[in-house]
Amino acid sequence: MELDFEVDKLTNSIENVVTGDSFRTDVILISKTDLKNISKKNKWLFDWKFEFKQPQRDVYKLTIVNNETVIQGLMSVEVKSDHVYMHLVESAPFNKGKTKMYAGVAGNLVAFACKLAFQRGYEGNVSFFSKTQLVQHYIETLGAKHVGGRIMIIGKISALKLINKYFPNEKKT
Amino acid sequence: MKKKHKDLDVDFIGEQSAMTKEEELAISQFLKKEKQKSKKQSAQTHKRRRIKDKQMA
């Protein structure tokens, strides 16, 4: 995994890794029609149909502006009593690994979860689960705190930093 | 000079297994503690500012 590289991607956009071109993005709720091609057969890792069926969870898709049919990544979140819990984030199969087409998909979606947490009055607090080997990576890249076990939390200050990085033109509520 | 910075570089986050009650409780307790800490820090800053203002007057 490549961790050290120069970053100038400071907008709510994703970057074509070959050309370096940036494309502005939208994050919107997924529909049943979107789910048709999202399956393990099409190289998605998680069962997104299951996520969609859970009444307490909201599944969002990240798309390029004016190209809503091509899903760049998905996120499943649940609004808890004191924070937003990020169940899952997954980049589209063509945005995974060394041959990915666009960079910045996961970061955009995490920043969106932080924005939701501010909108819900939870001071940007977002929790998620991490594998042991990725704890340090999340601490360094997201400013997340390791609470114990598999629990990670993005607090107010880190959430603000992420929102400023990925959504620099939007005001916090 | 360009800044070297680490950016999030993962293809997925999370697990499909559910959060346990213990985990939910741990998160709530952590958030409560963080809130208390931040309140305390904010009160201390106000106190320091009041003392400074008094000294300036």
Side-chain angles (χ1 to χ4, degrees), chain B residues 5-20:
Chain B
H5 187 84
K6 278 186 178 178
D7 207 11
L8 181 66
D9 187 25
V10 290
D11 295 332
F12 61 88
I13 298 172
E15 292 171 23
Q16 209 136 26
S17 62
M19 186 189 277
T20 64

Side-chain angles (χ1 to χ4, degrees), chain A residues 2 5 89 91 140 150 165, chain B residues 5-6 9 13 15 23:
Chain A
E2 180 69 48
F5 54 93
V89 173
S91 295
E140 290 169 8
R150 54 181 184 166
K165 179 174 174 175
Chain B
H5 187 84
K6 278 186 178 178
D9 187 25
I13 298 172
E15 292 171 23
E23 285 169 330

Side-chain angles (χ1 to χ4, degrees), chain A residues 1-2 5-8 45 47 51 80 82-83 85 87-91 96-97 100 107 125 128-129 137-138 140-141 145 150-151 153 165-166, chain B residues 1-20 22-32 34-35 37-38:
Chain A
M1 189 188 296
E2 180 69 48
F5 54 93
E6 290 171 359
V7 177
D8 286 311
L45 182 71
D47 184 353
E51 289 299 309
K80 296 275 186 186
D82 50 5
H83 72 287
Y85 172 48
H87 280 269
L88 297 173
V89 173
E90 184 177 1
S91 295
K96 281 180 186 156
K100 74 174 79 165
N125 289 314
F128 61 97
F129 290 158
H137 182 55
Y138 292 135
E140 290 169 8
T141 59
K145 287 179 182 171
R150 54 181 184 166
I151 311 168
I153 291 181
K165 179 174 174 175
Y166 288 99
Chain B
M1 199 176 78
K2 275 192 176 178
K3 226 178 173 181
K4 274 260 179 185
H5 187 84
K6 278 186 178 178
D7 207 11
L8 181 66
D9 187 25
V10 290
D11 295 332
F12 61 88
I13 298 172
E15 292 171 23
Q16 209 136 26
S17 62
M19 186 189 277
T20 64
E22 289 76 18
E23 285 169 330
E24 198 150 355
L25 194 68
I27 293 171
S28 289
Q29 282 174 344
F30 177 84
L31 292 175
K32 260 185 207 165
E34 287 292 299
K35 210 170 187 177
K37 217 194 281 176
S38 135

Side-chain angles (χ1 to χ4, degrees), chain A residues 6 18 28 45 55 71 78 98 101 113 116-117 128 131 143 155:
Chain A
E6 290 171 359
V18 179
I28 41 180
L45 182 71
I71 295 170
E78 182 175 342
K98 284 180 182 168
M101 197 180 281
L116 268 183
F128 61 97
K131 289 194 172 4

Side-chain angles (χ1 to χ4, degrees), chain A residues 134-147:
Chain A
L134 284 172
V135 166
Q136 195 56 33
H137 182 55
Y138 292 135
I139 291 171
E140 290 169 8
T141 59
L142 299 176
K145 287 179 182 171
H146 185 215
V147 175

